[in-house]
């Protein structure tokens, strides 16, 4: 387990000031972070946010990657610890997610065979990052996975991509060039992630690539949970899935202990119990989970419109 000293500063951070602690986590200058020249960013009047979402297919992904790689390079070089080489990252990808290796090589080629880009695309031991998020697998009127994404809009790729990197068609919200925050595949499996509410950092993959891999290789919740149990992750995350048959589950993933699979249909930002009290109190992870669970228990159609 790598000691990045998070516990030594968490008690001094004002957790109601999201910019303050995100700046510290990212170890970057907020004034220029993260994508000041993002092609989808538009001017907005004071007090408003203007954000344009784009939808692309696989043959357009190269344009997106080329446009956003310079900003991701800055992120990749930031943070604490030493980033892996392309050889080291590729070896871990081949060990744990061999089905993605051909696509990884193709995408690295789109970025000019840059070794640093190749290492980042494998997302092995990336800089620490965390979000809020809430998610719920809903069964009435057909299986659905509903979630929100609590993050500064300037850190958001804002691109929905339909790809077929390994054969199956996958539709999802891009993050980290080709990783996914959430998505669904042509087998009817839906997956989304939420931060697990623990500061520990270890050796493993960044969660967006884990979500990508699950959707590329799994067709059911059972298969997804089996895969999640074996994949090393660099931080704690809660991954919820629901499949076409209505089977749903949430996996509590962590870098320092085995994955724990639950039948929970709702996940926010703790793993059964609160383990990082200042963070949990600031983002109201317990209260959000209780609210969503109550809506599910009541069979309410309001969950899709709940303020979570």
């Amino acid at each position: 387990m790598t000691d990045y000293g998070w516990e030594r500063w968490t008690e001094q951070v004002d957790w109601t000031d999201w910019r303050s602690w995100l700046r510290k986590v990212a170890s970057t200058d907020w004034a220029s972070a993260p994508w000041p020249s993002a092609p989808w960013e538009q001017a907005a009047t004071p007090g408003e946010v203007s954000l344009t979402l784009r939808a692309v297919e696989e043959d357009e992904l190269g344009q997106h990657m080329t446009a956003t790689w310079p900003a991701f390079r800055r992120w990749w070089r930031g943070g604490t610890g030493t980033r892996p080489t392309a050889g080291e990252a590729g070896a871990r990808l081949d060990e744990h997610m061999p089905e993605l290796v051909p696509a990884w090589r193709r995408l690295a080629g789109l970025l000019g065979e840059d070794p640093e880009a190749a290492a980042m695309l494998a997302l092995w031991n990336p800089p620490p990052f965390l979000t809020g998020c809430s998610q719920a697998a809903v069964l009435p009127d057909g299986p659905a996975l509903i979630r929100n994404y609590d993050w500064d809009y300037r850190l958001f790729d804002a691109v929905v991509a339909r790809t077929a990197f390994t054969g199956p068609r996958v539709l999802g919200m891009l993050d980290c060039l080709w990783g996914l925050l959430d998505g669904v595949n042509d087998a009817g499996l839906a997956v989304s992630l939420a931060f697990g509410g623990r500061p520990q950092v270890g050796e493993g993959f960044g969660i967006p690539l884990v979500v990508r891999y699950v959707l590329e290789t799994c067709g059911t919740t059972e298969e997804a949970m089996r895969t999640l149990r074996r994949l090393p992750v660099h931080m704690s995350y809660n991954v919820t899935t629901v499949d076409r048959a209505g089977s749903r589950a949430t996996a509590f993933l962590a870098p320092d202990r085995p994955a724990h699979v639950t039948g929970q249909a709702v996940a926010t930002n703790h793993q059964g119990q609160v383990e990082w009290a200042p963070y949990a109190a600031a983002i109201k992870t317990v209260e959000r989970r209780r609210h969503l669970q109550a809506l599910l228990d009541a069979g309410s159609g309001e969950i899709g419109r709940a303020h979570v």
Side-chain angles (χ1 to χ4, degrees):
M1 180 59 53
T2 303
D3 178 14
Y4 287 112
W6 285 39
E7 293 85 348
R8 290 194 292 273
W9 61 259
T10 53
E11 297 297 335
Q12 284 74 49
V13 174
D14 177 5
W15 290 92
T16 63
D17 181 359
W18 286 69
R19 290 189 180 187
S20 173
W21 62 264
L22 282 174
R23 179 169 58 246
K24 196 159 190 177
V25 171
S27 299
T28 189
D29 176 13
W30 191 266
S32 62
W35 332 130
S37 59
W40 56 87
E41 188 173 337
Q42 296 182 345
T45 58
E48 296 182 352
V49 172
S50 178
L51 185 66
T52 300
L53 275 72
R54 296 187 299 123
V56 301
E57 294 188 3
E58 182 181 3
D59 55 1
E60 299 178 70
L61 204 52
Q63 181 180 0
H64 164 75
M65 292 175 57
T66 301
T68 55
W69 165 234
F72 273 106
R73 185 196 295 272
R74 293 195 298 274
W75 168 74
W76 181 252
R77 291 175 175 176
T80 54
T82 302
R83 303 280 78 78
T85 65
E88 293 167 342
R92 300 289 76 76
L93 194 67
D94 186 58
E95 177 183 359
H96 298 285
M97 306 181 189
E99 297 91 339
L100 291 187
V101 170
W104 170 68
R105 289 175 176 155
R106 293 197 305 271
L107 294 175
L110 293 176
L111 294 177
E113 304 293 349
D114 181 341
E116 194 171 28
M120 185 268 159
L121 285 166
L123 272 187
W124 177 258
N125 290 351
F129 53 87
L130 58 124
T131 66
C133 307
S134 305
Q135 55 203 24
V138 183
L139 296 185
D141 301 320
L145 185 54
I146 300 173
R147 60 97 57 129
N148 77 330
Y149 183 53
D150 292 330
W151 196 235
D152 191 282
Y153 71 97
R154 290 166 296 180
L155 295 165
F156 183 41
D157 281 28
V159 176
V160 179
R162 196 284 297 160
T163 59
F165 289 133
T166 64
R169 290 174 297 165
V170 174
L171 178 70
M173 187 67 68
L174 286 182
D175 190 62
C176 295
L177 300 183
W178 70 310
L180 295 170
L181 300 171
D182 49 56
V184 61
N185 63 19
D186 57 8
L189 176 68
V191 182
S192 71
L193 66 90
F195 178 57
R198 304 176 69 243
Q200 289 79 3
V201 180
E203 288 208 336
F205 292 101
I207 197 66
L209 195 63
V210 172
V211 173
R212 161 70 67 186
Y213 182 67
V214 168
L215 287 170
E216 295 284 346
T217 61
C218 301
T220 65
T221 286
E222 181 181 1
E223 293 172 355
M225 293 299 132
R226 187 163 57 243
T227 295
L228 290 169
R229 282 190 177 99
R230 68 172 179 80
L231 293 177
V233 294
H234 89 305
M235 293 190 73
S236 296
Y237 282 92
N238 303 333
V239 178
T240 299
T241 71
V242 61
D243 61 25
R244 180 171 288 162
S247 176
R248 55 190 181 180
T250 295
F252 295 154
L253 309 180
D256 58 337
R257 62 191 184 195
H260 177 60
V261 173
T262 78
Q264 293 183 10
V266 172
T268 51
N269 309 120
H270 59 288
Q271 298 188 332
Q273 62 182 10
V274 169
E275 299 177 68
W276 198 2
Y279 172 82
I283 65 167
K284 300 186 183 300
T285 176
V286 174
E287 294 87 343
R288 285 185 287 118
R289 189 190 183 285
R290 286 174 180 165
H291 178 62
L292 287 174
Q293 189 62 57
L295 290 174
L296 277 186
D297 292 344
S300 173
E302 292 298 311
I303 192 169
R305 296 184 291 274
H307 295 289
V308 294

